[in-house]
Every structure is written in C-alpha cells, then in structure tokens.
C-alpha cells in the first residue's frame, strides 16, 4: 500500500468515526426503513451499489421521516486512484439530494503526456425521485428517476483528449426489487438502470468527444444476495460510452461484499475491473467505501 | 419513554402473561414435515414467536399506542392462527381479512416498517434460521397494500 493510499484510508476512518459519534445520539428507532434498504453510496453520490445507482433512496427514512448519509470511497487501480467524499439527504422516501466530490490521481498519465497536473477534480450534484413502487412491499419494483449534474474543474487533459464540454448532466431511470426468499430462501436484490449520458469516464475526462458528441442510452445492472440481513454479496456491470478516438473507454464491472452492521454504518469492499482507462489497459483493482447514515 | 407509555407496555405484558397457554390452533391433521409451519416450530414455536413479537411491540414507542384499547389475548390468538394458517399449519384463521382488520386506522409506512422490524427482532430472539425468517417475511410483506394508508 502506498503512503497516499494509507493516508486516504485513515481519512476515511476518521471521517466515519466522527459520523458514527454524531449519530449515536440518535435512537435506532428514529429511522424506520429496514436494514440495508438505503443501499450504499455510489461514487457519484446517489444511493445504490458502488458504480451503479439503484432506485432506493439514501438513509433509512420511511414515508413520514427523513434521512441522510455521508460517505468516503476510494478506488485503486494500477495507474489511477479515485477518492470521493460526499453526502446525501432524503425526504419522506420520495426525494434524494446528493453531492459527491471526486478527485482522480493520474500521475502515470501526466508523466506519459509530460504535463504538470496530476489530478482531476469533479463535483457531482444529484437529485433522485421515487416515482412508484417499494423495494420490498409492492409487486412492482421501486422505480426512480435521477439527474446528476457534473462539473469538471480540471479540463486541460480532457480537452486535449478531444472532450467537448467540462460539464454535463446524466439522467438515470432505475428499477430495483428485493425478492424475499428469492433464491435458496435468501433475499435476492435485483437492479437495472438506464442512463442517458455523454460523460467520459464519469465526466472526469469531460463530456462528449470527436467520435460522438450526443448522449446515449447506457445499460447498467446490479444483483446481489443477502447472506443474512447484515451481509450482501453481489456484482455490477456498467456500460460506458466511447466518445473519444484518442482514448478508448471500456465497460466497468465490480464484485462486492457489503456489510451493514446497523443503521448507522455500512462498509463496501469490491474488486473492480475498469478495463482500459485513458491509454492504460487492464485497470483492475479494489474499491472501499464507508458510509455513515443519520 | 413517557409514564403512560410505560404503563401501557406493562399492561400489554400483564395481558400476555394472563393469556399464556390459550391455544390458537385446533389441529386438523398433521402437516408435511418440512413446511414453514414446522420450521417455525409448529404450534408452540408460533405461540412463542407471537409472544416475543408482543414484547417487542410493547417496547416500541412508534406503535405501542396503537394497541392501547386492543384486547391483547384476542389479538394474540388471532395473530397466532393467522401465522399458523398462512405457513401451512393445521389451523383456519377465522378473523377478517387484513384489509378489513386494519382499515380506517390510517396505519403509516413508519408503523408498518416498525412492526416488521419488531417481528425480525422477535425471530432473531427465537434464533430462527435466516431462511425461515425470509420465508415468513415473504408471506407477510405483500399485506402492506392492505394495511398502509387504508
Ligand atoms: C405484516 C403486517 C401485519 C399483519 C400480518 C397483521 C396481522 C394482524 C392480525 C392477524 C390481526 C388479528 C385480527 C383478528 O384476529 O381479528 C391484527 C390485528 C391488529 N393489527 Fe395488524 N397486522 C399487520 C400490521 C399491523 C400494523 C402495521 C399495525 C399498526 C401499528 C397493526 C395493528 C393492529 C391492531 C391494533 C390490531 C387489533 C385490532 C383489534 O383487535 O381491534 N397491524 N393484525
């Protein structure tokens, strides 16, 4: 583990320690939705898994309550690392607002290109509305519509690579269902998301490009099995656009284990395969995300 | 917990103790060995589960007030025979449908989740296997639309 990675891990642990303390004051019964129904925090801030959002809204507020989360996540692959911190607030299990601050470190790419900048920062502001259904209690899956506005603050390398814009908005439509006793009497989580986007590598490499400059419909799926109500094991797939002729972009995969010890803390560890990322091939590695819910 | 809530909880507990031993099921023949009813521990298991559920409800500020004027022994028996019958046990639930029983009270999403939460706690206290817990929840969860905001 590099020094920088260790530092980030320590930051994550400290942040969530503070969060945990702040939330202990709350009684367990202040937020009523069942354990794990708030999902984890994705790297774009919306509730879901790690790389794919779901129709669930963050936190544990039922329809007469509110809830929120704060989180820190880290992705480490051979030539890149991505750190994310963010927060969300959900109202009456109807509306979720979220923000995520992303920082991509790309020292090897800088060396290759001979530029001084070694990181790209981006802010993602998201809103998600539950349109219909309930994750658990209705035959219809829970269905939510989301929007993610993204602003890239370090557009030098993205523009050199052929990206057209330094900001953009993704639209997402998600359907998520928890099938109680769905497989071998274990609870089965199924999610499908359609994304309408022209973001390159989340927007970290800008929006649109020389090869294609209009938004596309992209498919994302995730599935998992609850070993018991505290442990979820699953995987995700996220289709990616390929807008730049200079650097190609691959679809993403993850395999994750999520731990929900109680309604205040959750931890996700994953193996991620990001394929080729801006000239570097075989970018697979690990992902860690810690969330505090209040 | 406020004073009267505490009193209410104690009342429910007292009613529970008094009603212990009342049987909910009238045996109609032996169910297959591996059905959910058997996994819940049969008649005794369900009685114990409902008892533990009522103990959880009595301690749950979100919903205990809803049971203020309820005839607890009768509720207990109704719930026992309901769970017995939907789990494939040898009983006939003779009460009204979930919709009729709960209509007019405007039970909320919070309250429904609270009750499910209490049930999960009760099942964990009884150390029921995860698979058994999930199967019972799968049978009960669809009643949401008959109970909430009715
Ligand atoms: C999975 C959800 C639920 C199931 C399966 C369920 C089942 C039952 C059953 C079987 C009875 C007894 C009916 C009878 O024998 O007459 C009953 C009564 C009752 N239920 Fe529920 N119930 C559920 C949710 C709730 C919720 C969320 C509340 C409110 C917090 C609630 C409050 C009551 C009350 C107060 C009674 C007693 C009615 C009376 O005797 O006057 N129930 N329920």
């Amino acid at each position: 583990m590099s020094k920088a990675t260790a530092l980030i891990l320590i930051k994550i642990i400290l942040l969530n320690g503070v969060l945990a303390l702040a939330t202990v004051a709350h009684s367990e019964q202040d937020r009523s939705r069942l354990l794990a129904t708030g999902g984890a925090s994705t790297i774009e801030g919306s509730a879901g898994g790690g790389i794919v959002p779901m129709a669930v809204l963050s936190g544990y507020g039922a329809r007469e309550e509110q809830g929120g989360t704060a989180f820190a996540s880290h992705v480490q692959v051979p030539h890149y690392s991505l750190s994310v911190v963010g927060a969300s607030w959900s109202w009456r299990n109807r509306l979720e607002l979220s923000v995520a601050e992303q920082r991509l470190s790309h020292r090897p790419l800088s060396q290759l290109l001979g530029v001084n900048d070694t990181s790209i920062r981006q802010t993602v502001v998201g809103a998600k509305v539950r349109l219909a259904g309930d994750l658990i209690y209705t035959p219809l899956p829970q269905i939510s519509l989301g929007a993610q506005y993204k602003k890239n603050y370090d557009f030098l390398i993205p523009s050199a690579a052929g990206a057209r814009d330094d900001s953009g908005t993704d639209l997402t439509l998600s359907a998520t269902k928890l099938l109680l006793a769905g497989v071998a009497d274990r609870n089965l989580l199924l999610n499908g998301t359609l994304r309408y986007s022209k973001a390159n590598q989340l927007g970290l490499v800008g929006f649109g490009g020389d090869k294609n400059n209009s938004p596309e419909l992209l498919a994302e799926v995730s599935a998992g099995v609850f070993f018991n109500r505290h442990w979820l094991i699953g995987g995700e797939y996220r289709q990616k656009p390929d807008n730049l002729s200079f650097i190609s972009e691959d679809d993403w995969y993850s395999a994750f284990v999520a731990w929900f010890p109680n309604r205040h803390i959750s931890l996700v560890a994953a193996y991620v395969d990001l394929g080729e990322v801006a000239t570097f091939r075989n970018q697979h590695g690990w992902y860690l995300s810690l969330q505090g819910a209040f | 917990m406020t004073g009267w809530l505490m009193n209410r909880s104690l009342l429910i507990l007292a009613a529970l103790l008094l009603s212990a031993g009342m049987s909910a099921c009238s045996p109609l023949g032996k169910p297959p060995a591996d059905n959910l009813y058997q996994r819940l521990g049969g008649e005794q298991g369900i009685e114990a589960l409902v008892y533990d559920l009522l103990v959880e409800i009595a301690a749950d500020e979100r919903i205990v007030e809803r049971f203020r004027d309820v005839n607890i022994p009768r509720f207990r028996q109704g719930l026992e025979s309901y769970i017995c019958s939907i789990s494939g046990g040898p009983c006939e639930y003779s009460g009204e449908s979930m919709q009729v029983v709960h209509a007019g009270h405007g039970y909320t999403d919070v309250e429904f989740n609270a009750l499910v939460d209490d049930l999960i706690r009760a099942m964990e206290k009884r150390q029921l296997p995860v698979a058994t817990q999930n199967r019972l929840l799968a049978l009960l969860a669809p009643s949401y639309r008959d109970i909430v905001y009715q």
Side-chain angles (χ1 to χ4, degrees), chain A residues 151-173:
Chain A
K151 169 81 178 131
N152 186 315
Y153 298 111
D154 297 284
F155 195 54
L156 180 70
I157 292 176
S159 67
R164 294 290 163 81
D165 299 308
D166 66 354
S167 68
T169 303
D170 289 2
L171 297 178
T172 59
L173 183 66

Side-chain angles (χ1 to χ4, degrees), chain B residues 68-128:
Chain B
R68 179 190 275 276
D69 298 317
V70 168
N71 176 341
I72 297 296
R74 210 186 129 254
F75 170 66
R76 184 181 181 191
Q77 205 182 325
L79 199 54
E80 282 168 6
S81 74
Y82 181 74
I83 293 176
C84 172
S85 76
I86 62 167
S87 66
C91 347
E92 198 101 44
Y93 168 68
S94 57
E96 304 281 0
S97 73
M98 285 302 99
Q99 180 154 33
V100 172
V101 169
H102 298 94
H105 295 278
Y107 294 125
T108 65
D109 189 41
V110 165
E111 290 174 316
F112 191 91
N113 277 290
L115 194 110
V116 174
D117 214 24
D118 293 341
L119 176 63
I120 291 172
R121 276 174 213 263
M123 291 191 294
E124 298 218 314
K125 207 157 137 196
R126 300 232 54 79
Q127 300 187 323
L128 291 175

Side-chain angles (χ1 to χ4, degrees), chain A:
Chain A
M1 205 188 300
S2 73
K3 229 181 188 174
T5 310
L7 212 70
I8 285 157
L9 282 177
I10 289 167
K11 261 197 236 165
I12 291 176
I13 289 161
L14 282 180
L15 172 72
N16 279 271
V18 171
L19 268 172
L21 284 179
T23 51
V24 161
H26 270 281
S27 125
E28 181 84 357
Q29 299 195 334
D30 282 355
R31 307 284 179 255
S32 296
R33 268 159 53 210
L34 300 184
L35 191 60
T37 56
S41 298
T42 62
I43 47 177
E44 287 157 310
S46 169
I51 56 175
V52 174
M54 298 185 197
V56 298
L57 304 197
S58 70
Y60 289 102
R63 288 172 67 180
E64 290 77 25
E65 300 169 329
Q66 343 175 4
T69 63
F71 72 94
S73 305
H74 190 78
V75 183
Q76 186 69 52
V77 292
H79 294 94
Y80 298 96
S81 68
L82 175 67
S83 301
V84 191
V85 292
S88 73
W89 173 73
S90 293
W91 181 73
R92 293 179 166 249
N93 201 20
R94 175 63 66 192
L95 173 70
E96 171 194 285
L97 301 176
S98 61
V99 60
E101 291 288 338
Q102 303 173 330
R103 185 191 182 92
L104 176 77
S105 299
H106 55 74
R107 196 172 294 274
L109 182 68
S110 304
Q111 282 163 359
L112 189 78
L113 299 177
V115 295
N116 285 329
D117 291 12
T118 57
S119 69
I120 295 176
R121 289 159 304 135
Q122 176 171 260
T123 297
V124 183
V125 177
K128 189 161 71 180
V129 181
R130 183 176 62 81
L131 298 180
D134 182 274
L135 174 69
I136 300 176
Y137 301 130
T138 58
L140 188 76
Q142 181 158 328
I143 297 170
S144 297
L145 183 67
Q148 296 175 339
Y149 169 77
K150 302 172 174 183
K151 169 81 178 131
N152 186 315
Y153 298 111
D154 297 284
F155 195 54
L156 180 70
I157 292 176
S159 67
R164 294 290 163 81
D165 299 308
D166 66 354
S167 68
T169 303
D170 289 2
L171 297 178
T172 59
L173 183 66
S174 300
T176 312
K177 183 74 196 150
L178 184 73
L179 294 166
L180 296 168
V183 54
D185 287 342
R186 289 297 189 278
N187 298 338
L188 175 65
L189 178 66
L190 296 175
N191 172 70
T193 294
L194 271 181
R195 184 186 297 264
Y196 188 64
S197 168
K198 61 172 183 172
N200 310 317
Q201 302 290 8
L202 308 178
L204 291 164
V205 192
F207 302 81
D210 55 322
K211 213 156 119 190
N212 171 43
N213 194 33
S214 45
E216 297 167 78
L217 269 183
L218 304 158
E220 303 176 3
V221 290
S222 35
V225 174
F226 279 92
F227 175 72
N228 59 33
R229 66 198 188 99
H230 300 289
W231 291 92
L232 172 68
I233 296 163
E236 300 169 294
Y237 162 78
R238 177 165 172 169
Q239 190 183 18
K240 307 290 292 303
D242 199 11
N243 298 330
L244 303 167
S245 54
F246 177 57
I247 48 177
S248 75
E249 179 167 351
D250 286 340
D251 296 349
W252 285 3
Y253 300 87
S254 83
F256 65 82
V257 177
W259 180 44
F260 300 89
N262 56 50
R263 284 192 180 91
H264 298 307
I265 282 280
S266 68
L267 181 65
V268 180
Y271 166 81
V272 291
D273 182 349
L274 311 183
E276 179 172 341
V277 181
T279 73
F280 292 108
R281 295 212 175 137
N282 295 324
Q283 297 300 306
H284 49 85
W286 55 268
Y287 166 81
L288 207 57
S289 179
L290 202 47
Q291 183 201 73
F294 49 89

